[in-house]
Amino acid sequence: MSAIAAKLASWVSGGAVRVFLIVVALFWLLPTIGLLLSSLRDPTDIAASGWWKVLSAPSQLTVSNYKSLLSNDTVVNSLVNTILITVPTTLLVVVIGSLAGYAFAWMDFRGRDWWFLAVVGLLVVPIQVALIPVAQLFGKIGIFGDITGVVLFHTAFGLPFAIFLLRNFFAEIPRELLEAARLDGAGELRLFTTVIMPLGGPAIASLGIFQFLWVWNDMLVALIFADSDSQPITVALQQQVRQFGSNIDILAPGAFVSMVIPLVVFFAFQRQFVSGVMAGAVK
Amino acid sequence: MASTVTTGGAAAAGPPPVKRKSLMGTRPWVALVFLLPALVLLGSLVLYPIGYTIQRSLFDADNSAFVGLKNFGEVFTDHSNLTAVKNNAIWVVIAPVVATALGLIFAVLTERVSWGTAFKLVVFMPMAISMLAAGIIFRLVYENDPDRGVANAVVVGIHDTFAEASAYPGARPRPNADLAPSAGGSFTTKAQAQPGTAAALPLIGVPQNKLPGDTQDAKAAAPAADGGVSGTVWLDFKPGGGGTTGAIDPGEKALPGVKVEAVKDGKVVASAKSGDDGTFALPASAAGARLRLPSSNFATQYNGVDWLGPSLVTPSIIVSYIWMWAGFAMVLIAAGLAGVPRELLEQARVDGANEWQVFRKITVPLLAPVLVVVLITLMINVLKIFDLVYIIAPGASQSDANVLALQLYLKSFGGGNDQGVGSAIGVLLLLLVLPVMIFNIRRLRREARR
């Protein structure tokens, strides 16, 4: 009898757990679904009722907002800018970080460990502390408002994490492999390109994914260092938020377009993303 | 962006290497070449700016006069700065704790369902999107109009399920009628109710089309037999025109469900509700009382919560942050949980511990190191929170939602024209992460020595 009661109790609590998790999952999904459905409705429908009305009136769904959004030059330009900022930054961080990570892992020079500790110390420096001086510096050398400035700033602040992650990973590469290559007459650059980079693949992938998403999603850095010609999609949309309410037909599809690439990257490279996030936690 | 506490051993970064000699034959200048790009960028865009900002924080708004620590004093005295400091404190205390607690709960509970991976994917997904997109998502959620914002739609739905919705919002008597407005939105008769005669309580201001289609015509109440008071509440409006004001004309509709109170010397002595034909009957105790229609009959519709108003804006934005980052906590804690030996938990269960005890006495203590890492990481992250506040807080309540990073931006770039104070805020942020910086360095040195 008590065995049945215990079973019943565990079944009930198991059911409670299930119900709880389903409610939580709904809470997590609904906001995004709301954005998606809002982006697929006519401005007049948006003004008249909530997005959930679509569920009973699927005929309201239309892609016209996306059509007009993607024929808007400012939006298209800013999407191109996002790519022009994100891709070079990711490559630069990976390459420069790998070079330095290799030097810290396998080269001998005075004060190596102290230098590396200094880099680790920079891991947590908030970008806010650098905004004002770098804005002035970029102004002086004439790249304020350029994509170049945005890329350089992101790269610099991506480096401590990159160096930290890659140095630790490269240091695990078996010494014999490097020595064998060295005996074959490979110089440092050959070692780097033929042994270190290929073997460092997993760490480099994690770093690359992580850095890509980070820069793609940035708003603050571009808000300060980019101008209207070089602004990425986040900054372009940010200006629209000031008139929130009357322009959901622009904001909702705009936000969704800006999310598509990160979501694709996220779903395609979950494992790398998670290990990147876990390796050093997040900025 | 600045990374944070390093989770030792997790993922790609393996255990720290033992001290090892470098490859033979590396000349120092080669090392310098490999390091140069990184050193140049870190030196010019991270290190030099830190020095400059510290120096700049000691000078006035137009960088002409040395003011010592005055800018820092201003951060903690000036009203708008102080709001930012206070809100930042709220953020740093609440957001990481709630996100970590939820992450822990989710991580533990998902182990018990077969679709745990799918659940984790759903909760972790917001980490991939920008705070701008998340901000727009939650602006939509928090829209005031319950017909548009899902949060208020839910709140109003729940409210109307449990609280009685008022039957006739906006209904009122005709001007100069016997029934007249009284305190708090109620209406009271001037005349005292006489037993044996039917009281007339005519109202207007209810659109005919808002009444249910099957509403009966109003009927004059039969005089109450036992010395009580009776009467009719109805819509004193004859469709198509005509009719006598204050009298029940044929075709005029009853207003069922209206509460009628009999009031003597300010006290309610009896109350009743109008029936389907608009009539009501009060006991003999109501004789000589004035009849009052309380305001609950006419209250305007409940419209939900002002999520982004001055008092709730910060908690509302914190909710959106938790939506984004609870998944981070969950994934890290779940990874830690995978390392907890199952036998230990099983043994405790065999020994008679219930699930709560197992969780409280074994799981949580074993996870403590991970929980600390998650908490500190989130704290550092929250300290610099900018995008979500900037996007979600509407212009009118931006100053109520202000945080340090936003105030730094507003002061330095957004028209505040005081990079002195802006720099002071920057230095303050740096000082606040300093303990973590030292923690990271010491940990690394300890690991290198092993």
Side-chain angles (χ1 to χ4, degrees):
Chain A
M1 194 60 194
S2 71
I4 297 173
K7 230 177 199 165
L8 200 68
S10 86
W11 185 82
V12 168
S13 75
V17 166
R18 256 176 225 123
V19 169
F20 173 73
L21 289 180
I22 288 171
V23 170
V24 169
L26 272 182
F27 178 82
W28 249 262
L29 279 175
L30 271 186
T32 318
I33 293 174
L35 179 79
L36 176 63
L37 293 183
S38 297
S39 75
L40 293 170
R41 298 176 81 207
D42 226 48
T44 46
D45 289 334
I46 295 174
S49 58
W51 52 263
W52 50 91
K53 285 288 182 309
V54 162
L55 302 177
S56 55
S59 61
Q60 286 188 348
L61 293 176
T62 164
V63 291
S64 65
N65 292 337
Y66 284 91
K67 275 191 190 144
S68 53
L69 186 83
L70 294 176
S71 58
N72 178 329
D73 281 345
T74 314
V75 172
V76 174
N77 273 342
S78 64
L79 274 172
V80 172
N81 286 334
T82 295
I83 296 168
L84 289 180
I85 290 169
T86 308
V87 173
T89 305
T90 308
L91 291 177
L92 278 173
V93 167
V94 165
V95 171
I96 298 177
S98 300
L99 287 171
Y102 172 53
F104 279 123
W106 289 104
M107 290 182 185
D108 205 12
F109 52 92
R110 232 173 19 161
R112 181 183 69 183
D113 294 346
W114 290 106
W115 284 102
F116 185 62
L117 282 182
V119 171
V120 171
L122 295 182
L123 277 174
V124 286
V125 172
I127 62 166
Q128 279 80 4
V129 80
L131 295 176
I132 294 168
V134 173
Q136 290 182 5
L137 182 73
F138 283 176
K140 263 183 221 150
I141 59 176
I143 57 169
F144 189 82
D146 278 8
I147 282 182
T148 319
V150 182
V151 169
L152 287 178
F153 189 89
H154 275 309
T155 307
F157 273 85
L159 278 176
F161 176 60
I163 296 172
F164 171 75
L165 179 80
L166 295 175
R167 180 266 184 194
N168 284 350
F169 195 87
F170 292 164
E172 296 297 300
I173 293 174
R175 187 180 182 80
E176 299 75 44
L177 280 178
L178 293 162
E179 278 174 346
R182 174 55 57 87
L183 286 178
D184 288 346
E188 295 291 357
L189 202 62
R190 276 265 313 276
L191 267 184
F192 178 72
T193 51
T194 61
V195 180
I196 297 284
M197 290 298 261
L199 288 178
I204 289 174
S206 285
L207 173 69
I209 303 293
F210 189 73
Q211 192 65 38
F212 181 91
L213 287 178
W214 183 264
V215 177
W216 186 285
N217 287 335
D218 161 78
M219 180 182 82
L220 177 57
V221 173
L223 191 60
I224 289 170
F225 297 121
D227 64 15
S228 56
D229 289 330
S230 57
Q231 65 185 12
I233 184 78
T234 47
V235 177
L237 286 177
Q238 164 273 136
Q239 288 156 0
Q240 292 284 334
V241 174
R242 298 290 143 231
Q243 294 101 44
F244 191 91
S246 56
N247 54 358
I248 294 173
D249 55 313
I250 303 170
L251 274 174
F256 217 83
V257 164
S258 82
M259 284 162 55
V260 165
I261 299 282
L263 286 179
V264 167
V265 169
F266 170 74
F267 283 113
F269 301 98
Q270 270 174 63
R271 219 163 41 84
Q272 285 86 348
F273 180 60
V274 170
S275 60
V277 164
M278 297 213 299
V282 178
K283 306 163 173 209
Chain B
M1 43 200 208
S3 190
T4 51
V5 190
T6 57
T7 59
V18 287
K19 254 206 182 295
R20 91 216 95 73
K21 292 200 187 77
S22 69
L23 289 171
M24 51 248 147
T26 309
R27 274 160 299 221
W29 68 265
V30 178
L32 186 65
V33 170
F34 273 72
L35 287 170
L36 199 61
L39 292 183
V40 168
L41 281 172
L42 288 175
S44 60
L45 300 181
V46 182
L47 277 181
Y48 153 76
I50 292 175
Y52 181 94
T53 300
I54 292 172
Q55 184 223 341
R56 183 68 186 81
S57 69
L58 304 174
F59 284 79
D60 65 356
D62 46 11
N63 203 14
S64 56
F66 180 81
V67 294
L69 295 178
K70 182 169 158 287
N71 289 328
F72 290 89
E74 205 170 306
V75 171
F76 291 99
T77 50
D78 174 80
H79 177 71
S80 68
N81 293 335
L82 204 57
T83 312
V85 172
K86 279 186 198 150
N87 281 337
N88 238 69
I90 293 173
W91 269 91
V92 169
V93 171
I94 307 271
V97 170
V98 176
T100 308
L102 283 179
L104 177 62
I105 292 169
F106 296 167
V108 170
L109 291 186
T110 44
E111 292 207 322
R112 299 165 171 227
V113 292
S114 51
W115 37 275
T117 313
F119 176 89
K120 281 185 194 153
L121 205 60
V122 166
V123 175
F124 193 57
M125 189 267 305
M127 274 220 60
I129 69 172
S130 63
M131 289 207 169
L132 167 98
I136 292 174
I137 287 175
F138 273 85
R139 271 298 278 269
L140 279 170
V141 168
Y142 288 136
E143 268 206 279
N144 252 338
D145 184 348
D147 284 338
R148 296 175 66 185
V150 70
N152 266 349
V154 170
V155 167
V156 169
I158 292 173
H159 176 275
D160 289 355
T161 309
F162 291 104
E164 234 174 297
S166 77
Y168 305 104
R172 60 185 186 277
R174 288 188 192 276
N176 305 320
D178 179 51
L179 190 61
S182 49
S186 61
F187 302 111
T188 311
T189 56
K190 289 185 206 110
Q192 292 172 341
Q194 299 304 325
T197 52
L201 300 175
L203 292 171
I204 55 168
V206 181
Q208 192 90 16
N209 58 13
K210 284 279 165 78
L211 292 175
D214 56 356
T215 307
Q216 295 181 12
D217 287 351
K219 262 195 1 214
D226 49 359
V229 173
S230 65
T232 307
V233 186
W234 83 102
L235 180 59
D236 188 18
F237 171 80
K238 193 171 161 63
T244 318
T245 302
I248 304 172
D249 299 301
E252 290 187 346
K253 294 291 181 189
L255 293 177
V258 176
K259 191 176 185 193
V260 183
E261 293 171 340
V263 183
K264 262 185 199 162
D265 304 326
K267 278 195 215 104
V268 178
V269 292
S271 73
K273 258 193 180 167
S274 58
D276 285 345
D277 54 3
T279 60
F280 61 89
L282 291 160
S285 59
R290 292 176 206 282
L291 300 180
R292 180 168 75 184
L293 305 179
S295 61
S296 62
N297 292 317
F298 316 111
T300 49
Q301 221 177 343
Y302 177 69
N303 266 323
V305 178
D306 189 10
W307 299 104
L308 301 180
S311 54
L312 277 182
V313 63
T314 295
S316 297
I317 303 175
I318 290 179
V319 167
S320 71
Y321 178 88
I322 289 164
W323 180 80
M324 282 193 85
W325 285 81
F328 166 81
M330 176 189 68
V331 165
L332 257 74
I333 294 169
L337 208 54
V340 170
R342 300 289 120 161
E343 312 84 67
L344 215 58
L345 305 182
E346 275 317 308
Q347 188 55 50
R349 286 187 189 115
V350 169
D351 290 347
N354 63 32
E355 285 306 309
W356 171 247
Q357 286 168 324
V358 171
F359 175 76
R360 181 73 196 71
K361 295 274 164 64
I362 302 181
T363 310
V364 171
L366 281 175
L367 285 177
V370 181
L371 295 178
V372 169
V373 165
V374 171
L375 264 179
I376 295 179
T377 304
L378 290 176
M379 278 180 176
I380 292 178
N381 187 279
V382 161
L383 202 60
K384 303 171 291 182
I385 189 77
F386 171 82
D387 308 34
L388 280 179
V389 182
Y390 187 67
I391 296 298
I392 297 182
S397 46
Q398 194 188 53
S399 59
D400 298 292
N402 210 349
V403 286
L404 286 174
L406 177 58
Q407 179 69 357
L408 183 151
Y409 172 79
L410 295 174
K411 279 276 181 194
S412 312
F413 303 98
N417 284 328
D418 192 343
Q419 299 204 334
V421 170
S423 297
I425 297 174
V427 173
L428 186 66
L429 288 176
L430 186 64
L431 286 176
L432 288 170
V433 298
L434 216 51
V436 183
M437 192 185 279
I438 293 165
F439 173 82
N440 273 347
I441 292 176
R442 288 178 61 170
R443 173 138 106 179
L444 195 80
R445 290 192 63 191
R446 201 168 54 236
E447 282 174 350
R449 246 182 270 125
R450 259 193 268 134

